[in-house]
Amino acid sequence: MTGTTEREVGRARPRKEDARLLTGQTNWTDNISVNGLLHLAILRSPMAHARIDRVDVSAALERPGVIAAFSGRDVAEEMGSLPCAWPVAEDTVVPDHPPIAVDEVRYAGDPVAVVVARDRYTAADALEAVEVDYTPLPAALDIETALAEGTPLVHTDKGTNRSYVYRATSGDYEAAKAQADVVLTRRYHQQRLIPTAIEPRAVVVTPLAASGEFTLYSSTQVPHVLRVMLAVTTGIPENKIRVVAPDVGGGFGSKLQVYGEEVITLVLAKRLGRPLKWTESRSEAHVATHHGRGQVQDIEVAARSDGTLLGLRVSLTADMGAYLMLLSPGIPILGASMYPAIYKMGAYDFSCTGVFTNRTPIDAYRGAGRPEATFAIERIMDDLAAELGMDPLELRRHNWIRHEEFPYTTIAGLTYDSGNYEAATDKALALFDYDKLRAEQADRNHRGDTVRLGIGISTYTEMCGLAPSRWLGEMRYAAGGWEAANIRMLPTGKVEVVTGTSPHGQGHVTSWCQIAADALGVPFEDVEVMHGDTRLATHGMDTYGSRSLVIGGVAVHEAALKVVAKARRVAAHLLEANEADLEFADGVFSVKGSPEARKTIQEVAFETFTSHDLPDGLEPSINAEHVLDPDAFSYPHGTHLCAVEVDTETGAVHIRSYVCVDDVGKVVNPPIVEGQLHGGIAQGISQALYEEAVYDEEGNLVTGTLADYLVPAAPDLPEFVTDRTETPATSNPLGVKGVGETGTIASTPAVVNAVVDALRPLGVKDMRMPCTPERVWQAVKEASA
């Protein structure tokens, strides 16, 4: 870019990552092969709850090609207990979580034994030779009854199925309720979801016996966090562990985890002194990878007859599953501050009870607590509008924070720095043709059409950029939220960016190149980005919670500015000028008033490399690192509108139109933003209409394969009409806000609101997700009766 004025940030650059992906020159964990590699297979419990009476691996050891086999008891002391990093309340019950069960299995899928063989097929086949005797135990499967007296205990030694109770209040809700003309109470259900990344999880560990070092490759979102937690769990010194996240094919929170399989593979590679690989099958992933959502939401809103909101009460019952994983308790609490959303009110009362059940553990899934919050508030706003006889959009307008009121501190205690809900909504309404659709809806209802038209609204905001370390400390989170970036100017003028974020499809390489190119004034093509290796990127906090751009990307920008500042001193010396007299633009240092006296930043990099003529006392380097710990979250927002046609005779739901206008602050790369939105909306629609993890009365996962668990394909989804407004964030110098989770957060209530809106004239007041044809048909039938 040197000598030009074209900016990279905001430019629609094709992704640098895609050439490797499209030509198959990728390095997925399962592609990795080294000399002497052995393969690991895991035997999992077929029961939701049982005592382990005997595990006999001797027959498996006799199989040709089998190298070793172990029960949980054989390796318990080496493996420790899997970590929970977020005990949100002082009295949080955190049970031991062995990577391989020792005395009891507590969910169908709990590991009970492992086999190591020369190839994966031999290892898998040998599992059938492992003999396990179980004594079945009663199981707790329903979060609504798990706390009732007499319900079986998931962890008998804890004496309760309650993991924690978290409470937060602001204002006097009871006083607000007493002043209300209308008090509306609703119960909403967030079904369990199974994250389905395109790449299953995989682990490869290569030991170096001479030095006691281990390199662990994992399809993880969090190589730095994983390294720390592996050291804590196994006792292997952290400086002896190198974690590499190679190409990672999606995560959606499911790879924001420290899994038992990573611990098992590391410990057994150490014990055997051989490289070891484990790769999960797709059906194995359904029971072994943590699930998402899983809540019962009791919501109460108090309002005046003109629609003015007075207060909100939220009481959650959140399924933890059988164990607390890395962030399990904190996921519902991440949404605690977001239930008031974009609305003004005088009182707020929030409580959440975490509950153990004999099911697969629950942890982060795209949005992590924020989609649940947005769903609840946007659903009850529609229900309140119906109760008051108001247009649901007008009720929202009546209560939302106006653009001139920013920055605004909400009743939940968050300070939103910028936003314009009016502008985003007005643009969305124009694209959607709202009034025309309302007129068509009224006509269909008047005619008694069997195919009803429904319109759903979701006006959302979210807190993203999970970061401020002090806030995380106040929330009892075990780690910080900072992020690191390092800029290296090479002698030839090329640039290496080392980032602590670890992408799995988001386009960090391209975006970080754009940010660095602008700050340094170098060509986009001259920047390379490196990530995902704890030996290369020595510290970082990784990728989740829509934090990468607003923390990691801003850290890149700040590190680049430090490079410029160091280069300025060298340039001033070379040009025999005062630093204050230098201007820097488009990669060129020039002397004010004497533009012919100039040095490019690339020339400065080479002069620094030679070190022949540097200022006295200056180190021969203009490289720089920046560790950013932001003071605040960022708050993207937007309006999503959905029109559905519902066949009341078959229950079929067809999305006729979907329009969204999002405000994510300054945009670095528009196509990447569009891709994030499309993927997020698809996942949100999928929760509304298709996906649900279903268990039978014995605790078996009925939806254990993709033949039973419905993940939509492209023909199942509508064309999306997307647009943007722009109110830059004031909390960071780039003005950027997060985008990775916005589509998922906004879309689910828009779709369900549309379905309920279509059926409300028939007496249907709620629809439990997913809104399958059977459920819709049954709701219509029951309402008509």
Side-chain angles (χ1 to χ4, degrees):
M1 184 194 292
T2 304
T4 71
T5 58
E6 186 175 9
R7 305 292 294 173
E8 284 293 339
V9 170
R11 187 175 177 184
R13 279 282 191 182
R15 298 196 336 162
K16 282 190 174 183
E17 298 91 331
D18 289 345
R20 292 173 56 252
L21 294 170
L22 294 173
T23 57
Q25 299 178 61
T26 48
N27 189 34
W28 313 111
T29 302
D30 190 48
N31 294 150
I32 295 170
S33 182
V34 296
N35 289 335
L37 183 66
L38 302 177
H39 294 263
L40 177 72
I42 299 174
L43 181 67
R44 300 182 182 276
S45 169
M47 299 183 183
H49 198 192
R51 185 174 65 246
I52 300 173
D53 298 320
R54 182 179 70 98
V55 178
D56 186 351
V57 299
S58 57
L61 287 168
E62 295 174 1
R63 294 283 187 102
V66 171
I67 302 300
F70 304 97
S71 69
R73 191 172 300 280
D74 293 333
V75 292
E77 291 186 6
E78 297 169 76
M79 292 193 178
S81 178
L82 295 178
C84 173
W86 204 344
V88 294
E90 187 173 351
D91 60 349
T92 302
V93 175
V94 184
D96 288 341
H97 185 182
I100 307 175
V102 177
D103 300 311
E104 285 186 20
V105 291
R106 292 184 169 88
Y107 65 96
D110 213 352
V112 293
V114 297
V115 171
V116 179
R118 297 189 186 280
D119 64 78
R120 68 176 60 183
Y121 305 106
T122 298
D125 289 345
L127 292 178
E128 65 185 20
V130 178
E131 297 179 8
V132 185
D133 292 338
Y134 298 100
T135 297
L137 298 172
L141 299 171
D142 178 29
I143 59 174
E144 296 190 67
T145 61
L147 298 179
E149 187 175 348
T151 301
L153 296 178
V154 179
H155 300 274
T156 307
D157 61 316
K158 301 303 180 184
T160 180
N161 285 330
R162 181 182 289 107
S163 174
Y164 67 88
V165 175
Y166 178 92
R167 184 87 188 276
T169 61
S170 181
D172 189 336
Y173 177 76
E174 288 299 330
K177 183 177 177 179
Q179 298 171 10
D181 300 314
V182 176
V183 177
L184 196 65
T185 302
R186 290 288 185 268
R187 169 167 283 199
Y188 304 125
H189 292 81
Q190 289 281 329
Q191 76 272 37
R192 271 182 171 250
L193 300 177
I194 300 175
T196 312
I198 195 169
E199 180 206 16
R201 292 186 295 120
V203 186
V204 173
V205 176
T206 59
L208 187 59
S211 61
E213 295 179 75
F214 302 88
T215 298
L216 182 142
Y217 301 87
S218 178
S219 55
T220 182
Q221 298 175 220
V222 288
H224 296 91
V225 173
L226 179 57
R227 183 191 189 208
V228 173
M229 291 303 183
L230 286 173
V232 171
T233 302
T234 66
I236 299 172
E238 184 182 352
N239 61 340
K240 297 294 186 180
I241 301 174
R242 174 191 179 193
V243 175
V244 180
D247 293 308
V248 178
F252 315 120
S254 71
K255 296 174 182 175
L256 167 55
Q257 193 55 266
V258 177
Y259 280 106
E261 293 86 356
E262 290 160 326
V263 174
I264 292 167
T265 310
L266 175 60
V267 168
L268 294 186
K270 177 185 178 184
R271 175 179 278 211
L272 299 172
R274 294 279 296 277
L276 194 56
K277 178 190 285 189
W278 171 80
T279 302
E280 72 179 351
S281 66
R282 183 62 70 184
S283 57
E284 192 176 18
H286 279 225
V287 296
T289 294
H290 74 239
H291 292 177
R293 312 289 190 255
Q295 291 182 5
V296 175
Q297 304 173 309
D298 290 304
I299 314 296
E300 185 176 271
V301 65
R304 294 196 178 102
S305 57
D306 66 353
T308 301
L309 298 180
L310 299 177
L312 178 69
R313 171 173 284 160
V314 175
S315 179
L316 305 182
T317 306
D319 192 355
M320 298 290 101
Y323 297 98
L324 300 185
M325 300 292 281
L326 189 66
L327 306 177
S328 300
I331 298 305
I333 309 309
L334 266 177
S337 300
M338 296 312 301
Y339 282 86
I342 66 173
Y343 307 115
K344 295 178 287 187
M345 60 189 73
Y348 177 50
D349 187 312
F350 174 90
S351 64
C352 177
T353 302
V355 178
F356 292 115
T357 61
N358 290 111
R359 300 194 283 189
T360 298
I362 281 183
D363 208 298
Y365 180 59
R366 195 171 190 171
R370 281 79 48 81
E372 297 92 313
T374 300
F375 180 85
I377 187 63
E378 289 303 290
R379 282 289 295 114
I380 206 164
M381 288 297 283
D382 260 37
D383 287 350
L384 179 61
E387 185 77 10
L388 296 172
M390 294 179 67
D391 183 288
L393 187 57
E394 290 310 308
L395 177 66
R396 289 167 167 83
R397 288 185 191 276
H398 184 67
N399 287 284
W400 69 32
I401 303 158
R402 298 186 304 275
H403 71 275
E404 65 269 17
E405 296 178 284
F406 288 95
Y408 185 91
T409 300
T410 73
I411 190 63
L414 295 178
T415 299
Y416 299 170
D417 62 321
S418 67
N420 192 327
Y421 309 138
E422 303 97 308
T425 302
D426 289 344
K427 181 175 279 192
L429 290 173
L431 293 169
F432 191 65
D433 209 347
Y434 183 80
D435 292 337
K436 184 177 180 181
L437 283 169
R438 282 293 186 201
E440 181 185 343
Q441 179 188 47
D443 180 61
R444 288 196 188 196
N445 291 345
H446 178 72
R447 290 188 285 108
D449 200 329
T450 58
V451 179
R452 295 300 178 107
L453 180 64
I455 297 169
I457 301 167
S458 175
T459 49
Y460 79 98
T461 189
E462 61 153 322
M463 54 180 280
C464 64
L466 184 61
S469 294
R470 291 182 180 181
W471 183 89
L472 290 170
E474 292 170 0
M475 297 298 292
R476 304 178 65 86
Y477 184 62
W482 48 266
E483 193 50 78
N486 188 297
I487 306 285
R488 303 198 294 238
M489 287 292 299
L490 304 181
T492 55
K494 308 302 181 183
V495 180
E496 292 178 338
V497 175
V498 182
T499 176
T501 65
S502 186
H504 43 282
Q506 296 91 336
H508 293 184
V509 170
T510 303
S511 299
W512 283 204
C513 284
Q514 292 178 270
I515 292 169
D518 272 357
L520 298 172
V522 301
F524 170 81
E525 296 77 11
D526 286 357
V527 185
E528 295 294 330
V529 176
M530 293 170 283
H531 55 79
D533 184 338
T534 61
R535 182 166 292 173
L536 175 66
T538 55
H539 59 294
M541 288 304 297
D542 307 316
T543 295
Y544 43 86
S546 298
R547 71 188 302 275
S548 294
L549 176 60
V550 296
I551 309 171
V554 174
V556 170
H557 172 76
E558 294 295 321
L561 295 185
K562 286 183 176 181
V563 169
V564 172
K566 294 173 81 171
R568 179 184 296 274
R569 185 176 176 187
V570 177
H573 177 77
L574 295 173
L575 294 169
E576 300 181 344
N578 291 323
E579 287 185 54
D581 291 333
L582 289 190
E583 295 178 331
F584 180 74
D586 302 323
V588 176
F589 292 99
S590 59
V591 180
K592 295 176 183 177
S594 302
E596 69 283 355
R598 62 201 305 272
K599 286 285 184 181
T600 67
I601 196 168
Q602 292 94 333
E603 289 172 324
V604 172
F606 187 79
E607 294 283 359
T608 305
F609 165 70
T610 66
S611 303
H612 292 165
D613 185 17
L614 292 182
D616 292 340
L618 183 68
E619 63 178 353
S621 170
I622 58 172
N623 299 339
E625 181 180 48
H626 189 81
V627 180
L628 177 70
D629 195 354
D631 296 325
F633 299 101
S634 73
Y635 299 95
H637 69 84
T639 297
H640 287 225
L641 302 173
C642 179
V644 301
E645 292 180 326
V646 181
D647 190 325
T648 59
E649 294 182 336
T650 66
V653 176
H654 168 69
I655 297 179
R656 175 169 140 180
S657 175
Y658 195 100
V659 169
C660 63
V661 174
D662 295 277
D663 192 322
V664 297
K666 289 285 187 181
V667 172
V668 175
N669 189 307
I672 288 177
V673 168
E674 289 294 302
Q676 289 284 301
L677 285 169
H678 282 212
I681 294 168
Q683 284 182 288
I685 289 174
S686 193
Q687 179 176 7
L689 299 181
Y690 301 113
E691 295 187 46
E692 182 176 22
V694 179
Y695 286 82
D696 66 17
E697 60 186 13
E698 294 181 347
N700 299 304
L701 183 65
V702 176
T703 53
T705 71
L706 287 177
D708 310 295
Y709 185 83
L710 185 55
V711 177
D716 301 308
L717 297 168
E719 292 287 333
F720 305 132
V721 177
T722 63
D723 208 334
R724 293 189 302 276
T725 55
E726 185 178 293
T727 53
T730 62
S731 56
N732 65 75
L734 293 179
V736 295
K737 303 176 181 180
V739 69
E741 297 161 307
T742 54
T744 306
I745 288 168
S747 56
T748 306
V751 175
V752 176
N753 277 341
V755 174
V756 175
D757 185 61
L759 301 178
R760 203 183 294 277
L762 302 177
V764 176
K765 294 184 177 181
D766 191 23
M767 278 299 309
R768 188 162 174 170
M769 296 185 291
C771 302
T772 62
E774 180 182 3
R775 280 186 176 159
V776 171
W777 178 84
Q778 189 67 37
V780 172
K781 181 181 177 181
E782 291 175 358
S784 65

